[in-house]
Amino acid sequence: MESIVMDEMFIGRKASRTQLVTEREVLIFAGVTGDLNPVHINPDFAEKSIFKKQIAHGMYSVSLISAVLGCELPGAGTIYLGQEINFLAPVYLGDVITAEVEVLEMNIEKNRLKLKTTCTNQENKIVAEGVATVKPPKVKAL
Amino acid sequence: MESIVMDEMFIGRKASRTQLVTEREVLIFAGVTGDLNPVHINPDFAEKSIFKKQIAHGMYSVSLISAVLGCELPGAGTIYLGQEINFLAPVYLGDVITAEVEVLEMNIEKNRLKLKTTCTNQENKIVAEGVATVKPPKVKAL
């Protein structure tokens, strides 16, 4: 767990996390959010869908981005202001997703950062891409 | 569970879900996403933070929006293309969050919808607001 203040930021600073997506994660995510869409939880339904196989919730990938923002860069004490995300490709069970954030813009006066947020699978294909806006901690929270 | 095609859409069509947010949801969400930021899971840390109390993950609220899109409007067969979200206020344990989606724009040629997405708490305060872009099912999936 990190806690990185504006003074330590620079354009291009990056952090990432990598997560294997299994049926277990997808079912827990479905249960806790109530998103029981059958393309995520029913293999028979998913087989007949455009995706051909069960896929993870798009918001699961975005939650991995959020985890990097909240735990790594900037980390503890961060205030999440906004997120734009485009879903570019499906995430299948067994995929290994790397969520990366990279500082794009620093507004020191307003203590605000914009970060490029990207989720990539094990074939280096971008599955989701966008921009996050956050306030880093004013003083180190840890 | 619904599955609503473009022919049945109209500007202003709405759907929503309401969910009590407890420590249980927050801890499960933290566990499955790996977002163990202490403001979500550690009451002592949260007490000293700007929020004064434990807060839910912002992405948990957005996941409730995603659940409405994937299960209610348009429902099964929906392809999620993108989401913009601004976090406007914290969600505390014990809050009751209503996630609502409302059709804003219909692009019949491209089979695309834009929906206004809003999460409101029990005091009718907007905690998160944005716009989703989806493809509704081409044929009813259920």
Side-chain angles (χ1 to χ4, degrees):
Chain A
M1 181 79 58
E2 298 282 348
S3 182
I4 302 172
V5 297
M6 185 61 95
D7 273 1
E8 301 169 294
M9 291 294 169
F10 52 88
I11 305 293
R13 187 164 184 169
K14 288 181 190 179
S16 67
R17 280 187 173 187
T18 297
Q19 172 77 40
L20 169 65
V21 181
T22 70
E23 188 165 29
R24 188 166 168 278
E25 275 80 37
V26 171
L27 290 177
I28 295 172
F29 196 85
V32 73
T33 63
D35 190 345
L36 305 181
N37 187 307
V39 79
H40 304 304
I41 62 172
N42 180 333
D44 298 329
F45 179 95
E47 198 182 321
K48 289 175 210 140
S49 77
I50 188 175
F51 299 112
K52 308 293 181 204
K53 288 185 296 186
Q54 268 171 275
I55 59 168
H57 303 76
M59 226 28 91
Y60 182 69
S61 297
V62 190
S63 298
L64 299 179
I65 291 170
S66 166
V68 180
L69 295 168
C71 301
E72 310 287 348
L73 182 66
T78 298
I79 300 175
Y80 206 175
L81 297 177
Q83 178 74 52
E84 292 169 27
I85 195 79
N86 291 309
F87 299 110
L88 302 178
V91 173
Y92 294 105
L93 306 186
D95 279 1
V96 177
I97 300 301
T98 298
E100 184 179 83
V101 309
E102 178 181 349
V103 178
L104 272 184
E105 287 178 37
M106 295 166 56
N107 184 329
I108 293 169
E109 209 164 277
K110 289 191 175 173
N111 193 41
R112 278 188 192 206
L113 294 175
K114 282 193 186 290
L115 301 103
K116 183 178 169 187
T117 56
T118 313
C119 291
T120 312
N121 70 13
Q122 67 282 357
E123 288 159 0
N124 222 23
K125 181 171 187 170
I126 295 173
V127 296
E129 192 173 50
V131 174
T133 307
V134 304
K135 287 172 101 65
K138 283 200 177 172
V139 293
K140 279 185 174 289
L142 296 175
Chain B
M1 182 79 58
E2 299 280 348
S3 182
I4 302 172
V5 296
M6 185 61 94
D7 274 359
E8 300 169 293
M9 292 293 170
F10 52 88
I11 305 296
R13 186 162 185 169
K14 288 181 187 178
S16 68
R17 280 187 173 188
T18 298
Q19 172 78 40
L20 169 65
V21 181
T22 71
E23 189 165 27
R24 190 167 166 275
E25 274 80 36
V26 171
L27 289 178
I28 296 172
F29 196 85
V32 73
T33 64
D35 188 345
L36 306 180
N37 186 306
V39 78
H40 304 304
I41 62 172
N42 180 332
D44 298 328
F45 179 94
E47 199 182 320
K48 290 174 211 141
S49 78
I50 189 175
F51 300 112
K52 309 294 181 201
K53 288 186 295 185
Q54 267 171 277
I55 59 168
H57 302 76
M59 224 32 90
Y60 182 70
S61 296
V62 190
S63 297
L64 299 179
I65 291 169
S66 165
V68 180
L69 295 168
C71 300
E72 310 287 346
L73 180 68
T78 298
I79 299 174
Y80 207 174
L81 297 176
Q83 178 74 52
E84 292 169 27
I85 196 80
N86 291 309
F87 299 110
L88 303 178
V91 172
Y92 294 105
L93 307 187
D95 279 1
V96 178
I97 300 300
T98 298
E100 184 180 83
V101 310
E102 176 181 352
V103 178
L104 273 185
E105 287 178 37
M106 295 166 56
N107 185 327
I108 293 168
E109 208 164 274
K110 288 190 174 173
N111 191 42
R112 278 188 191 206
L113 295 175
K114 284 194 184 292
L115 301 102
K116 184 179 170 187
T117 56
T118 313
C119 290
T120 313
N121 70 13
Q122 68 281 358
E123 289 158 1
N124 222 25
K125 182 171 187 169
I126 295 174
V127 296
E129 191 173 50
V131 175
T133 308
V134 305
K135 288 173 101 65
K138 283 201 175 170
V139 292
K140 279 182 174 292
L142 296 175

